[in-house]
Amino acid sequence: MPALVISIAITQIPFLVTIYYSTLRWNLLKPGDRGFVGFENYLQVLRSGDLFPSITATVMITGLSLVLSVFSGLIFALLLDRKFIGQAVARTLLITPFLVMPAAAALIWKYSMFDTNIGVLNASLQAIGLDPVAWNTQYPLATVVIVLTWQYTPFMMLIILAGLQSQSKDILEAASVDGAGAGRTFLYITMPHLRQYVEIAVLLGAITLVQVFDPIAIMTKGTGGTKTLAYLLYERAFIGLNVGEAAAYGVVVVILTIIVASVALRTLFSVFKVGASK
């Protein structure tokens, strides 16, 4: 009961207050013009034309980052799933990007890698005789996806590596004795075994990536198809200073997030049940 009371106090009461704010005409630029408008803010959310492009941007950034980070994580996990000199050092270095704060990672990539004048990428292009590229303005979606892939690849790698190391060595030896090569062993034995681990990595990664804010706010400011739901909410609340409309966006985003999270968690629990039954 105490835990339930505390959970309600810190989650549901603020949400109810947000719903109340969403029914008000309240812009901080006009503090004297404040009143009850009912569902007008929700109608404005649907009429503005920003909600569905933001949903598309959220799906694109989350989907591309997930696919690339899972693929990269699988490759690195396969490389680490063997004994070699410096294995512990290599594992630590590969995990490091996931330990960097998102804001710090975005700043590092924005200035050290993508900057037009001093960035490593443009210095490499100029070294081979090519013109520099304004990455953050010409390819904003790609830059955000690259940063997120770099940061979440270690997360995927750790989960997949745990799956690889839990695989029975006796089965692999039996396959080798029966004449199965490395490729067929990986395709028909290792990959089916890794399925539930990849599903868990994708689901947990999706829940985390859908809330990403720092790289977008620091690198692109929501331009070029990178205005996700999280940045759209920030834009309405802290740039437009429209409390009522921002609260309406917040309620809509919470409802959409609950729907996605419910489906994801139900799938996640089913994965655990299947794994337990095996």
Side-chain angles (χ1 to χ4, degrees), residues 66-193:
L66 272 177
V67 171
L68 293 175
S69 59
V70 168
F71 180 74
S72 303
L74 174 61
I75 293 176
F76 286 125
L78 291 172
L79 293 175
L80 287 176
D81 188 36
R82 62 194 67 217
K83 298 293 183 181
F84 59 90
I85 298 175
Q87 182 185 28
V89 176
R91 187 189 302 115
T92 302
L93 292 175
L94 287 172
I95 294 172
T96 301
F98 189 64
L99 305 179
V100 179
M101 291 184 296
L107 288 170
I108 290 171
W109 277 89
K110 181 178 181 178
Y111 294 109
S112 299
M113 301 297 293
F114 293 134
D115 189 86
T116 307
N117 299 315
I118 62 174
V120 173
L121 293 179
N122 280 322
S124 302
L125 292 177
Q126 290 176 323
I128 59 176
L130 298 177
D131 295 329
V133 177
W135 297 96
N136 291 322
T137 54
Q138 289 182 253
Y139 306 104
L141 181 63
T143 58
V144 172
V145 170
I146 289 171
V147 173
L148 293 177
T149 301
W150 174 81
Q151 193 159 27
Y152 281 87
T153 290
F155 176 74
M156 306 299 178
M157 179 194 73
L158 288 175
I159 295 178
I160 296 174
L161 182 60
L164 287 173
Q165 294 181 346
S166 69
Q167 192 173 16
S168 173
K169 304 302 179 184
D170 295 337
I171 295 178
L172 297 178
E173 291 177 1
S176 177
V177 171
D178 290 340
R184 300 183 71 179
T185 300
F186 176 76
L187 185 61
Y188 295 107
I189 298 178
T190 302
M191 281 304 295
H193 173 76

Side-chain angles (χ1 to χ4, degrees), residues 47-61:
R47 288 196 299 256
S48 66
D50 292 329
L51 179 63
F52 296 105
S54 292
I55 294 175
T56 302
T58 303
V59 171
M60 286 288 294
I61 291 174

Side-chain angles (χ1 to χ4, degrees), residues 192-212:
H193 173 76
L194 290 178
R195 175 179 173 270
Q196 61 180 347
Y197 294 91
V198 173
E199 288 179 349
I200 292 171
V202 169
L203 292 171
L204 294 178
I207 293 173
T208 306
L209 283 168
V210 77
Q211 308 172 50
V212 163

Side-chain angles (χ1 to χ4, degrees), residues 3 10 21 25 27-28 33 54 70 91 143 164 214 221 232 251:
I10 64 177
Y21 286 162
R25 180 181 64 255
N27 192 314
L28 295 180
D33 183 20
S54 292
V70 168
R91 187 189 302 115
T143 58
L164 287 173
D214 302 70
K221 305 295 183 184
L232 178 62
V251 172

